[in-house]
Amino acid sequence: MTELRGIGIGRGIAAGPVRRMPDPLPIPEDEEFTGDADAAIAQAQAALDEVATWLTEQGAISGGDAQGILEAQALMARDPELTKDVATRITSGASPERAVYDACLAHQRLLEGIGGYLSERAADVADVSARARAVLRGVPAPGVPESDEPFILVATDLSPADTARLDFSQVHALVTRDGGPTSHTAIVSRAKGIPAIVGVNGADTLSDGDLVIVDAGAGVVRVAATEDDIAAAQVARDAWLASAGSLTTATHAGGALKDGFAVSLLANLGSVSEVAEAVALGAEGVGLFRTEFLFLDANAAPTVAEQQAHYTELLSAFPGKKVVVRVLDAGADKPLSFMPSAHEENPALGVRGLRALRAHEQIVRDQLVALASAQRATTADLWVMAPMVADAEETDYFVSLARELGIAVAGVMAEVPALALVADQVFETADFVSIGTNDLTQYTMAADRMLGAVSSYQDPWHPAVLRLIARLAEAGAAIGKPVGVCGEAAADPQLAIVLVGLGVTSLSMVPAALAEVRATLVTVTREEARERATRALTARSAAQARSFGSS
Ligand code: PEP
Ligand code: MG
């Protein structure tokens, strides 16, 4: 058995055959096509036909509502207007691939322009385009692979939209070449409680059908396992599932240390559909509601009424409890089509988060108005915060805008190291600070959270990150304002102890992590947590901090 190493997410284990997620197709080159135009037109036509036939077959297999949807999509692939447009473009000098790409894009824009139901069909045309171009290239169609048996999904990386389409009864583990411990693949795997290993050097060598064991606790993918190895791994998986299940069903007291010192344990959510699970797992409220996840597929900015409905449903689920909502965090890893940005060489360092909202102020105004009216309709304790805030001036801007539009409690996320360095100034106006350790680590360590090659830097245990957190916690304590953590760091039980020791007052995490963090916090007193934090701050590396801070 060979072994591939990466960063394990969670402690789970899974085994089974690999299914690879094909990489997205590149945009075809826009260069003069000099081949035989008639043959090229026939080729493009045949590719579209093949896609239409496949969609119809899939519809027949699925039945129910899906059949109607897939048949409608097959009709799009056979649309005479589309095929005519493809032929015209080829005659004017486009390659078959480029002609399919451009014709479908024009069709998409047309549908989007009409609006309403038809604009939602634009994504179906984009899918037809990608499938037909894959046929022309002779490569597998992009998108989540289908399978009748459970499998291990291997990908370069997964976007939020990809992960939204995964069927976790079939996908037993995720392995990605890129991505670090705070990438969206990692976030989703924690949320779903399935093992993942990200930043796996050599993930590209895995092929469909390879039998692998994914041991997230060890951060290892074992390749070419025998049937016996797989059977042993299945036994380990059952034991892991059973122990995770018993922690989850234990009674939920509020989060507290051994000496009774209370630490609120809150949930990170991205949609209202996740609320029931969070409540069942004992979330004491919501520490981060990622509103951009509601609108990832939207082509137009959401209306006040539409948003108000979402937020009212969310707040109604937490009567009398704290719910921290983050205004849209668009850009970099979370692009929103209704807030387009110019091409940027380094999107993570570009116009994102609050910077993007300032450039589209009406969008954040509408969002704050919708939040304020949802608050008035419910009894939840709504707190609102802005992402990617760099300093006191930006804090003042957001807090005064939020107050003007009726938000009672307004704060900022600490994700940019600059904000931590001026934390005392920030607290002059912010009601609270919530530390986004995913981005704070990315920017402190200058390591792209999406890039596997630098994933070893993406470690929130790094003493540089811990020192910034300590600074924020001290500034909050000095003025008596709360400082929470809502990045993935809060979901690491040992790190959670250190964060509390540093002075953090609440921890927000994927609901699946609540049980283990709760069970770990009660094993230490506040004094012990402080001692661990003090030791971790003196470490010379993330690994040393982890070892100093874990006992
Ligand atoms: C963070 O950066 O830690 C955070 C919570 O925000 P997101 O992961 O959505 O960027
Ligand atoms: Mg962030």
Side-chain angles (χ1 to χ4, degrees):
M1 256 195 302
T2 50
E3 291 190 346
L4 304 177
R5 294 198 167 267
I7 295 178
I9 308 297
R11 271 189 261 290
I13 187 160
V18 162
R19 295 299 311 265
R20 284 204 70 94
M21 173 127 160
D23 289 336
L25 294 172
I27 295 177
E29 296 292 338
D30 188 10
E31 50 195 32
E32 182 79 23
F33 176 68
T34 50
D36 176 347
D38 287 340
I41 291 170
Q43 221 186 340
Q45 175 70 60
L48 286 165
D49 272 350
E50 188 174 325
V51 171
T53 307
W54 182 83
L55 288 166
T56 312
E57 281 167 7
Q58 291 304 306
I61 294 168
S62 313
D65 290 347
Q67 182 160 14
I69 295 169
L70 290 165
E71 280 172 358
Q73 202 184 352
L75 283 180
M76 290 174 180
R78 292 212 165 94
D79 181 347
E81 288 298 319
L82 180 70
T83 43
K84 203 166 109 199
D85 191 5
V86 169
T88 312
R89 288 173 193 272
I90 293 176
T91 317
S92 320
S95 68
E97 230 190 295
R98 183 73 200 197
V100 167
Y101 175 79
D102 283 338
C104 287
L105 197 61
H107 213 71
Q108 277 164 249
R109 298 277 179 264
L110 199 74
L111 292 171
E112 283 163 7
I114 298 171
Y117 170 82
L118 282 177
S119 72
E120 288 162 26
R121 302 279 68 79
D124 298 348
V125 180
D127 186 58
V128 166
S129 167
R131 289 184 184 284
R133 288 183 287 119
V135 173
L136 288 166
R137 280 186 165 237
V139 298
V144 179
E146 275 127 37
S147 170
D148 297 334
E149 52 168 3
F151 61 96
I152 310 296
L153 183 65
V154 177
T156 302
D157 203 0
L158 295 167
S159 69
D162 294 332
T163 48
R165 281 189 214 109
L166 295 181
D167 170 4
F168 287 100
S169 63
Q170 294 293 69
V171 178
H172 279 190
L174 303 172
V175 173
T176 61
R177 185 196 71 187
D178 290 347
T182 60
S183 62
H184 284 284
T185 304
I187 293 173
V188 167
S189 82
R190 279 196 198 94
K192 300 291 176 189
I194 72 157
I197 307 190
V198 299
V200 177
N201 229 326
D204 288 343
T205 61
L206 295 170
S207 311
D208 276 352
D210 285 353
L211 281 184
V212 297
I213 296 170
V214 177
D215 183 346
V220 166
V221 183
R222 302 198 169 88
V223 194
T226 63
E227 295 292 341
D228 284 352
D229 299 327
I230 296 280
Q234 297 292 10
V235 172
R237 173 181 154 84
D238 290 345
W240 162 66
L241 286 173
S243 84
S246 65
L247 264 185
T248 306
T249 50
T251 35
H252 307 310
L257 302 183
K258 197 175 183 174
D259 49 16
F261 180 75
V263 182
S264 306
L265 298 183
L266 308 163
N268 286 358
L269 303 178
S271 95
V272 180
S273 63
E274 296 162 12
V275 163
E277 189 203 2
V279 172
L281 293 172
E284 294 167 54
V286 178
L288 167 63
F289 189 81
R290 292 180 162 100
T291 53
E292 62 283 352
F293 278 29
L294 296 174
F295 307 113
L296 282 177
D297 291 332
N299 296 316
T303 63
V304 171
E306 185 186 346
Q307 297 189 67
Q308 198 181 324
H310 280 296
Y311 306 146
T312 305
E313 197 182 342
L314 168 70
L315 297 186
S316 308
F318 294 96
K321 303 250 180 78
K322 176 164 119 180
V323 177
V324 186
V325 175
R326 170 172 80 186
V327 291
L328 293 169
D329 185 12
D333 54 333
K334 289 166 285 212
L336 291 177
S337 63
F338 57 88
M339 285 174 72
S341 53
H343 171 76
E344 297 172 334
E345 288 298 328
N346 294 303
L349 302 181
V351 183
R352 54 165 304 199
L354 184 65
R355 302 168 188 182
L357 290 173
R358 262 183 126 163
H360 297 87
E361 194 180 283
Q362 193 53 46
I363 290 182
V364 67
R365 281 183 168 270
D366 285 352
Q367 191 169 22
L368 291 167
V369 167
L371 282 164
S373 48
Q375 154 111 85
R376 285 193 293 275
T378 62
T379 61
D381 180 16
L382 172 69
W383 296 18
V384 181
M385 63 185 181
M388 288 294 299
V389 180
D391 61 16
E393 188 279 330
E394 290 191 349
T395 304
D396 297 348
Y397 164 80
F398 178 72
V399 171
S400 71
L401 188 67
R403 296 213 199 296
E404 176 197 325
L405 298 170
I407 301 294
V409 185
V412 294
M413 288 186 75
E415 303 185 283
V416 180
L419 188 104
L421 297 174
V422 294
D424 53 334
Q425 298 175 346
V426 167
F427 276 112
E428 285 167 15
T429 47
D431 294 321
F432 69 98
V433 165
S434 180
I435 308 176
T437 47
N438 308 338
D439 278 316
L440 185 63
T441 307
Q442 148 164 273
Y443 296 123
T444 304
M445 303 307 295
D448 186 340
R449 68 191 263 190
M450 309 289 284
L451 191 63
V454 291
S455 59
S456 60
Y457 290 89
Q458 250 303 320
D459 193 333
W461 275 99
H462 198 286
V465 179
L466 298 181
R467 288 180 189 207
L468 290 174
I469 296 173
R471 195 172 178 129
L472 285 156
E474 274 160 28
I479 195 167
K481 292 185 177 177
V483 179
V485 167
C486 65
E488 294 303 294
D492 172 338
Q494 297 302 324
L495 185 47
I497 292 176
V498 168
L499 294 173
V500 173
L502 290 173
V504 162
T505 54
S506 66
L507 298 169
S508 189
M509 64 205 77
V510 288
L514 285 164
E516 208 178 336
V517 170
R518 188 185 295 113
T520 312
L521 286 181
V522 286
T523 63
V524 296
T525 61
R526 195 168 182 209
E527 203 38 53
E528 285 162 349
R530 283 182 173 149
E531 280 164 15
R532 288 196 193 192
T534 308
R535 277 200 301 273
L537 286 173
T538 66
R540 302 182 69 82
S541 67
Q544 198 174 48
R546 184 179 275 109
S547 120
F548 287 0
S550 296
S551 57

